[in-house]
Amino acid sequence: MGEGALIDRIVRRAGLEPGGRWVLGIGDDAAVLATRTGEELVFTTDAQVEGVHFRFDREPARVVGRRALAVNLSDLAAMGASPVGALLSLSAPGSLALSRFDGLIEGFVDEAGRYGCPLVGGNLSSAERCSLHVTVIGRCRRGRALRRSGLRAGDRLFVTGRLGAAALARHTADRHGAALRRVPTPRLVAGQALAGLSGTRACIDLSDGLATDLAHLLEGTGFGADVDPAKLPTPRGFAGRCRALGLDPLAVAALGGEDYELLFALRDGPARAEGHDPRSLSRRLGVAVTEIGRVGGAPGVRGLPPVARGHHFGGRR
Amino acid sequence: MGEGALIDRIVRRAGLEPGGRWVLGIGDDAAVLATRTGEELVFTTDAQVEGVHFRFDREPARVVGRRALAVNLSDLAAMGASPVGALLSLSAPGSLALSRFDGLIEGFVDEAGRYGCPLVGGNLSSAERCSLHVTVIGRCRRGRALRRSGLRAGDRLFVTGRLGAAALARHTADRHGAALRRVPTPRLVAGQALAGLSGTRACIDLSDGLATDLAHLLEGTGFGADVDPAKLPTPRGFAGRCRALGLDPLAVAALGGEDYELLFALRDGPARAEGHDPRSLSRRLGVAVTEIGRVGGAPGVRGLPPVARGHHFGGRR
């Protein structure tokens, strides 16, 4: 099947005109977006690579397509931004089954529909293995994008949701050869709420694991952090299931990665009275929020297992 | 070498803060751009895949890095847009020589500097083979983006520059196993001039070859086109060099692809008096312009060899 026919299959699933402020979508040399004053556009890119992030014999193509967009939306969430649109650069061998091609696109477009992030452009190219390289465009009010930088001593550290489920599922699947079928939930509503909150100091999404991503937030600050390992929120029955696989629950929760929850810091002090307790925060962010520690002291993260050295180039799994 | 160390190598070459309207560049979850009224942003994505678009034993990594950006800038040119910034999603095996990694980045950043298109974000992932997936952001005045659609009977067809050089170089390299070293020149100045010209009807960049890309412009119009094959502009000595390789010069010029020149249509009539002759156009567009034919008649392109069927999924070479 030629490229034109494949693009037709995409258009049939995604639609040609994304609407809203998109002046032009799929089918021309580029997509065109009308801009507005008082806002900032936010750009991020991430990839799912066959043999590294997914295997077609382990999960349906639809799940891969959904995840390819979801991990990018998670980066928007960490900026406190709302989705505007997405571009997909898809590489695949000529031998890729058409049902898998369609599955990738349907999953992507399905996820796009859930979060109001239309597919507005893309590219198809041959390659020996399949990969999906996604760029997502978001928007936020001028000056309100959440950053990774800015932590100060005394800031309180929080996470959304629960940690370790993705890593445990990966370990379980490796053991049993089971299908993975995990699509993270991008914390877009939580990120947008944090961007509107006074006192939010920094935010990052947990893709590499709490210990690694917290180290990213601390980079260049000169400070360390104290985390209470007993406070890390994990799914029900998590410790037992880890031990049944011979794994240390704390290591899985703190180092496992791919949680795609938000790790954020709020400044301490008067803001405490403004409903910065976990219960009020959970209500405002629309997801469970747990306070896990505090910024300060000498560099290094105390309370979490050390991150292994020699982390491999890029991906995982 | 870990991902963080590799990102440091990129930052050392690209800089952390792209400046201008970029509020935030490499190093956070996403890049952030301040927007303006009265303008539109333009988005395009394209890839260079090892074994499909390049081979490291055939050309230096720097050239691959430059071309990865240049082919995207060519799409901006076809929209009449100016570059604003670029994101790079780079996949590579852990075994990729560091000198090649650096070469890819240096080539990319070098090209970015030439055209004022800073690298503002990206992603690194493992893969068995190397690939560079690039998204470029451009801008143009509201309502002025050049489109592929809109051709009408009587419109005059033009191309910039010369055709067939890329295809001939590819054939020559295939024959002699020589290095390729080709980086197309994105016709950004020409595209911007066309966007400001009254009477520009449609524009596309010649990536797949004149015959194929002209068919793209004609899609859905109900018209065909008459092209004068004697008028196709080719490099000096082109016909002789094609024949020496046993190739038909017209087929190489019309079907070869990867010229990355602009094919555009101007409406006929009064506009003719406004300096729409090739000589005046060449002056305004900053590159040689040749009139090659006219839109009209029954569907189909007369005067060019037919495009081979069964065009392969995506790439070439």
Side-chain angles (χ1 to χ4, degrees):
Chain A
M1 186 167 291
E3 188 172 3
L6 290 168
I7 293 172
D8 287 345
R9 295 183 85 86
I10 295 175
V11 168
R12 223 173 304 140
R13 286 161 177 85
L16 199 60
E17 294 303 330
R21 290 162 54 196
W22 285 101
V23 178
L24 196 58
I26 299 171
D28 214 297
D29 294 300
V32 177
L33 178 75
T35 60
R36 277 185 197 155
T37 44
E39 85 175 5
E40 284 166 353
L41 291 180
V42 168
F43 303 89
T44 184
T45 182
D46 205 344
Q48 293 283 309
V49 178
E50 188 183 357
V52 178
H53 304 91
F54 70 90
R55 285 169 46 181
F56 281 122
D57 62 352
R58 290 273 288 270
E59 56 184 342
R62 277 188 67 94
V63 173
V64 176
R66 284 189 58 198
R67 192 169 58 236
L69 182 55
V71 297
N72 277 280
L73 292 174
S74 178
D75 276 316
L76 281 196
M79 302 297 290
S82 315
V84 172
L87 294 99
L88 169 62
S89 180
L90 171 61
S91 289
S95 61
L96 180 74
L98 206 52
S99 60
R100 284 190 174 151
F101 177 88
D102 290 346
L104 291 172
I105 301 301
E106 281 163 14
F108 192 96
V109 169
D110 176 17
E111 194 73 2
R114 265 170 228 247
Y115 296 102
C117 186
L119 177 65
V120 297
N123 181 63
L124 296 175
S125 54
S126 323
E128 286 171 32
R129 304 296 291 271
C130 189
S131 64
L132 295 86
H133 297 254
V134 179
T135 299
V136 160
I137 304 147
R139 64 186 160 80
C140 58
R141 280 176 50 205
R142 190 157 288 191
R144 296 312 286 261
L146 301 173
R147 302 188 180 204
R148 292 185 175 188
S149 56
L151 282 193
R152 300 203 203 150
D155 287 351
R156 299 156 67 204
L157 295 167
F158 299 82
V159 292
T160 61
R162 302 187 176 279
L163 308 182
L168 180 57
R170 221 163 53 233
H171 283 292
T172 308
D174 285 346
R175 197 67 59 93
H176 301 296
L180 282 165
R181 293 183 184 264
R182 275 194 68 87
V183 179
T185 302
R187 298 298 184 193
L188 287 160
V189 171
Q192 289 156 29
L194 283 170
L197 208 66
S198 73
T200 307
R201 195 83 89 174
C203 184
I204 190 172
D205 68 318
L206 293 173
S207 53
D208 294 336
L210 174 63
T212 302
D213 291 318
L214 176 51
H216 285 149
L217 284 191
L218 291 166
E219 244 167 55
T221 64
F223 300 117
D226 292 280
V227 172
D228 182 349
K231 288 203 179 144
L232 298 196
T234 53
R236 184 185 291 270
F238 179 76
R241 281 185 285 143
C242 285
R243 291 200 194 92
L245 291 169
L247 301 166
D248 171 20
L250 178 60
V252 176
L255 306 175
E258 298 185 33
D259 295 310
Y260 295 103
E261 295 295 344
L262 298 182
L263 164 65
F264 60 94
L266 299 181
R267 67 160 186 266
D268 200 10
R272 199 149 192 151
E274 297 170 22
H276 282 196
D277 61 290
R279 183 177 299 199
S280 311
L281 285 170
S282 298
R283 224 176 10 245
R284 292 169 87 155
L285 272 58
V287 58
V289 171
T290 309
E291 184 164 3
I292 60 163
R294 188 177 281 270
V295 176
V301 175
R302 290 161 293 277
L304 296 183
V307 177
R309 289 303 197 97
H311 177 63
H312 203 258
F313 179 34
R316 165 198 325 277
R317 194 176 309 164
Chain B
M1 183 166 294
E3 188 173 2
L6 290 169
I7 293 172
D8 287 345
R9 295 183 84 85
I10 295 175
V11 168
R12 222 173 305 141
R13 286 162 177 84
L16 200 59
E17 294 304 332
R21 290 162 55 195
W22 286 101
V23 179
L24 196 58
I26 300 172
D28 215 297
D29 293 299
V32 178
L33 178 75
T35 61
R36 277 184 197 157
T37 43
E39 85 176 5
E40 284 165 353
L41 291 179
V42 168
F43 303 89
T44 183
T45 182
D46 204 343
Q48 292 283 309
V49 179
E50 189 183 356
V52 178
H53 303 91
F54 70 89
R55 285 170 46 183
F56 282 123
D57 62 352
R58 290 272 289 268
E59 56 183 341
R62 277 188 69 93
V63 173
V64 176
R66 284 189 58 198
R67 193 170 56 238
L69 182 55
V71 297
N72 277 279
L73 293 174
S74 178
D75 276 318
L76 281 196
M79 302 296 290
S82 315
V84 171
L87 295 99
L88 170 62
S89 180
L90 172 62
S91 290
S95 62
L96 180 74
L98 206 52
S99 60
R100 283 191 175 149
F101 177 87
D102 290 346
L104 291 172
I105 301 301
E106 281 163 13
F108 192 96
V109 169
D110 177 17
E111 195 74 2
R114 264 170 231 247
Y115 296 102
C117 186
L119 178 65
V120 297
N123 181 64
L124 296 175
S125 54
S126 321
E128 286 172 32
R129 304 297 291 269
C130 188
S131 65
L132 295 87
H133 296 253
V134 179
T135 299
V136 161
I137 304 146
R139 64 185 162 80
C140 57
R141 279 176 51 205
R142 191 157 287 191
R144 296 312 286 262
L146 301 173
R147 302 187 177 204
R148 291 185 176 189
S149 56
L151 282 194
R152 300 207 203 145
D155 287 351
R156 298 156 66 205
L157 295 167
F158 300 83
V159 292
T160 62
R162 302 187 176 279
L163 309 181
L168 180 57
R170 221 161 56 231
H171 283 292
T172 308
D174 285 345
R175 197 66 60 93
H176 301 297
L180 281 166
R181 294 181 183 263
R182 275 193 69 86
V183 180
T185 302
R187 297 299 185 193
L188 286 160
V189 171
Q192 289 155 30
L194 284 170
L197 208 65
S198 73
T200 307
R201 194 85 88 174
C203 185
I204 191 172
D205 67 320
L206 294 173
S207 54
D208 294 335
L210 175 62
T212 303
D213 291 319
L214 176 51
H216 286 148
L217 285 192
L218 292 166
E219 243 167 56
T221 64
F223 300 116
D226 293 280
V227 172
D228 182 348
K231 288 203 179 147
L232 298 195
T234 53
R236 184 185 292 269
F238 179 76
R241 281 184 287 143
C242 285
R243 291 202 192 92
L245 292 168
L247 301 166
D248 170 20
L250 178 59
V252 176
L255 307 175
E258 297 185 33
D259 295 310
Y260 295 102
E261 296 294 344
L262 298 182
L263 164 65
F264 60 94
L266 300 180
R267 70 162 183 265
D268 200 10
R272 195 146 194 153
E274 296 170 23
H276 283 195
D277 59 291
R279 184 178 299 202
S280 310
L281 285 170
S282 298
R283 227 180 3 250
R284 291 168 88 155
L285 272 57
V287 59
V289 170
T290 309
E291 184 164 4
I292 60 163
R294 188 177 284 269
V295 176
V301 175
R302 291 161 291 278
L304 298 182
V307 178
R309 290 301 198 98
H311 178 63
H312 203 258
F313 178 36
R316 168 198 323 278
R317 194 176 310 165

